[in-house]
Amino acid sequence: MEISGFGIVLLFLIGGLVFILVTLGLGRILRPSRPNQEKLTTYESGEEPVGPAWGTFNVRFYIIALIFLLFEVELVFLFPWAIVFGNAEKINATNGLWGWFSLIEALVFVGMLAVGLAYTWKKGMLDWVKPQTGVKEETSTVPQGLYDKINEKYS
Amino acid sequence: MVTFLFYLPFLLLFVLLAVYGERKISAFIQSRYGPVEVGPYGLLQTLADLLKMLQKEDIVPGAADKWLFLTGPVLVFVAVFTGFSVLPLTDQVAGAGMEAGLFFLLAFVSLDVVGILMSGWGSNNKFSMYGTMRSIAQVVSYEIPLGLSVLCVVMTAQSMDLQEISRQQGVFSANPNFLFGIRSWGIDLTDVGGFLTWNVVRNPFLIPVFVVFFIAGLAEANRAPFDLPESESEIVGGYHTEYSGFRWGIFMLSEYGMMLLVSLLGALLFFGGWNSPLPNIGYIRLADWTSGTFWGVGWLLGKALMLIFIQMWVRWTYPRLRVDQLMGLSWKFLTPVSLVLVFICAIWRLWMI
């Protein structure tokens, strides 16, 4: 019997699932199950946990996910391109024009995203610990001269 | 069908031996003995560990989201294992016959991120949350260089079917093969085969591409030096802090499965897959003599196990990266480099015609 390509994928999917569930089921016969209050507490290095862990998270992860999404979509588009751009028949039929033309097209496409990457890099979004930039400007109504005088007097 | 019957038992046998192998290799690197007690030379150590794990209580913390906690590890394993479905085994035995097999593999293996998120979020533990967030940021970031390096191979081979990519790199090739892939030089190697027709020789720029692929593969498998998601010195156990018994073992199984998958993929894409490395020289038909069903399986697994050995060697040689170094390496170094390599490989492909 011939199984189609996706049929084999389904076989792997179900096979993997069945294997894991059977092994876990087998473990169920072997292992004890005696839960108690202390065992069921959340592990936090021996301390009583304060509050749930489901809280807010740093926005950096969100930005990384956004950049990833852009590049992944780009990849999805580049794979079909990679199959056709170097097609020998099409290149020979157009005297080599097909290959170079589609290469330049892809260069423009990737170039735009590369500019985006450069922009986020420049903005410091890729830096995990964002660097402190600039010196804080002191705005005081007392003129600097008065401070200098005091420094001079007591030095 | 045949690949399923081969890969499932092989994966289990591999995990048993690889855990033992890793402990022995690390022991050798650190001038220790490693496991010696259980069985001859400690060979049965992993089996004993497995039996112990099966007998351990499966604790579900009271504060956890029960469904996410229980199904997370299963999803991680299934996603990794389904990735094996498109891998070929020999010249006769192909995986799932799909035009876009490689594309499917990349798409499906990415699903293990969802499994990690489910188990980390479901644990309701602060250490697990940190581990999960790091893990997702890392896997997602290294997905880009991995995809781009695979794209370079797809461009060189003009196919996404792994069996077709493997067939091109040896004496079974349907198309003529030339030295460095350049037709105009006229050095025909179709009948010679061996390592001279591997992808890394057909397109020498695939060597740096392979380095990018290897680094990204290490990060995808959450292996040291990229094992920040489970760095025990900072966040206890990362996303599997709360797991115990065999449910924790599934994470280990998936990690080693991912190592094997990435290594097999590296062997198939860059180093000729099931093709023999020995070339035909005149009447000495080394490539023809060393091709066939058993030879093919042997070459493929030999190459993959070699890559796994290098992964373990790297793990016990380099210290763990810092989080900012990790993200910087992916976005500021590997991604731009692989973008440039994509265009170099594209130009090489146009020369190959």
Side-chain angles (χ1 to χ4, degrees):
Chain A
M1 195 185 70
E2 191 68 30
I3 308 176
S4 70
F6 283 99
I8 293 175
V9 170
L10 190 67
L11 182 72
F12 268 76
L13 239 164
I14 295 172
L17 194 67
V18 165
F19 162 70
I20 285 296
L21 293 181
V22 163
T23 322
L24 280 171
L26 190 73
R28 206 188 177 88
I29 304 167
L30 292 174
R31 70 184 175 228
S33 177
R34 300 190 198 88
N36 62 39
Q37 191 59 38
E38 281 305 309
K39 236 185 242 175
L40 294 186
T41 49
T42 304
Y43 176 79
E44 214 167 288
S45 311
E47 300 283 327
E48 282 292 325
V50 178
W54 299 327
T56 52
F57 235 83
N58 199 318
V59 74
R60 268 192 233 117
F61 291 102
Y62 175 69
I63 291 166
I64 288 290
L66 271 185
I67 307 172
F68 159 74
L69 202 64
L70 286 177
F71 272 86
E72 195 72 352
V73 170
E74 177 207 7
L75 261 179
V76 169
F77 283 125
L78 278 180
F79 267 96
W81 165 81
I83 300 289
V84 281
F85 99 101
N87 190 316
E89 283 170 34
K90 290 193 175 81
I91 287 175
N92 289 332
T94 54
N95 256 334
L97 195 65
W98 170 273
W100 292 107
F101 188 71
S102 50
L103 180 61
I104 290 166
E105 270 185 337
L107 190 67
V108 172
F109 178 57
V110 174
M112 280 193 283
L113 272 156
V115 170
L117 181 67
Y119 177 75
T120 43
W121 190 340
K122 179 83 185 11
K123 275 276 180 186
M125 292 306 177
L126 300 180
D127 298 318
W128 210 239
V129 182
K130 215 175 171 211
Q132 297 276 321
T133 45
V135 184
K136 203 180 171 215
E137 203 69 40
E138 281 295 337
T139 48
S140 172
T141 48
V142 184
Q144 187 66 35
L146 287 179
Y147 286 113
D148 291 342
K149 253 184 210 164
I150 290 172
N151 284 340
E152 214 171 291
K153 191 174 171 187
Y154 293 104
S155 61
Chain B
M1 185 72 189
V2 180
T3 52
F4 176 74
L5 293 178
F6 176 78
Y7 276 125
L8 185 59
F10 178 72
L11 179 64
L12 302 179
L13 187 69
F14 165 77
V15 173
L16 280 184
L17 291 178
V19 173
Y20 169 77
E22 172 139 36
R23 293 177 70 174
K24 275 292 184 193
I25 290 169
S26 67
F28 173 71
I29 289 174
Q30 299 174 339
S31 295
R32 297 184 281 114
Y33 283 123
V36 286
E37 291 289 337
V38 191
Y41 305 104
L43 264 169
L44 299 177
Q45 180 69 52
T46 332
L47 201 64
D49 286 344
L50 183 72
L51 281 177
K52 182 198 78 176
M53 255 195 289
L54 277 173
Q55 295 172 50
K56 286 259 179 179
E57 188 175 346
D58 189 19
I59 301 167
V60 183
D65 186 324
K66 201 173 171 217
W67 279 104
L68 291 183
F69 187 85
L70 292 180
T71 47
V74 179
L75 184 66
V76 173
F77 178 79
V78 170
V80 171
F81 184 65
T82 309
F84 282 89
S85 60
V86 290
L87 300 181
L89 199 54
T90 66
D91 54 330
Q92 299 298 318
V93 183
M98 274 195 274
E99 283 285 309
L102 197 48
F103 205 35
F104 171 82
L105 190 152
L106 285 179
F108 216 92
V109 169
S110 312
L111 271 185
D112 78 336
V113 173
V114 181
I116 290 175
L117 180 61
M118 278 164 71
S119 44
W121 182 269
S123 297
N124 195 2
N125 177 320
K126 279 146 202 158
F127 294 120
S128 298
M129 276 302 287
Y130 285 123
T132 307
M133 286 297 165
R134 279 186 186 189
S135 172
I136 289 170
Q138 169 185 331
V139 173
V140 144
S141 301
Y142 281 84
E143 195 96 10
I144 305 296
L146 188 80
L148 286 171
S149 55
V150 169
L151 184 73
C152 292
V153 179
V154 171
M155 279 193 299
T156 309
Q158 290 294 303
S159 172
M160 287 196 278
D161 187 347
L162 279 164
Q163 181 72 344
E164 171 62 24
I165 292 174
S166 314
R167 190 176 286 123
Q168 284 178 5
Q169 306 177 56
V171 284
F172 296 101
S173 172
N175 303 312
N177 267 321
F178 296 91
L179 185 64
F180 298 134
I182 297 175
R183 186 183 290 263
S184 52
W185 289 3
I187 307 171
D188 194 336
L189 295 176
T190 315
D191 199 39
V192 178
F195 69 92
L196 289 168
T197 47
W198 287 1
N199 269 341
V200 282
V201 181
R202 285 170 75 203
N203 176 354
F205 280 101
L206 286 181
I207 294 169
V209 171
F210 174 71
V211 174
V212 173
F213 175 86
F214 187 75
I215 295 173
L218 277 180
E220 286 284 301
N222 285 335
R223 291 281 297 177
F226 303 107
D227 64 343
L228 284 129
E230 43 179 284
S231 52
E232 61 276 10
S233 53
E234 302 161 27
I235 46 176
V236 189
Y239 54 85
H240 49 58
T241 303
E242 289 289 354
Y243 284 89
S244 63
F246 191 71
R247 218 173 278 278
W248 175 84
I250 298 173
F251 281 115
M252 274 292 117
L253 204 61
S254 315
E255 182 184 321
Y256 279 85
M258 191 73 181
M259 274 168 74
L260 183 65
L261 183 67
V262 169
S263 300
L264 279 168
L265 203 59
L268 283 165
L269 293 179
F270 297 93
F271 300 109
W274 36 256
N275 283 301
S276 163
L278 305 169
N280 285 329
I281 310 162
Y283 290 104
I284 308 170
R285 315 293 293 172
L286 287 175
D288 292 347
W289 294 339
T290 55
S291 296
T293 305
F294 289 102
W295 282 104
V297 177
W299 289 127
L300 178 63
L301 296 182
K303 288 166 189 174
L305 292 179
M306 192 68 207
L307 289 177
I308 283 171
F309 171 71
I310 298 173
Q311 283 187 340
M312 291 178 177
W313 186 8
V314 166
R315 169 168 182 174
W316 294 101
T317 305
Y318 290 107
R320 185 181 293 140
L321 270 77
R322 236 172 35 221
V323 181
D324 59 320
Q325 289 170 331
L326 177 91
M327 303 305 285
L329 177 69
S330 170
W331 288 108
K332 294 181 183 173
F333 183 74
L334 291 180
T335 305
V337 162
S338 45
L339 278 177
V340 171
L341 280 170
V342 162
F343 282 99
I344 294 175
C345 289
I347 291 168
W348 196 278
R349 168 66 201 172
L350 292 181
W351 278 342
M352 279 170 75
I353 294 165

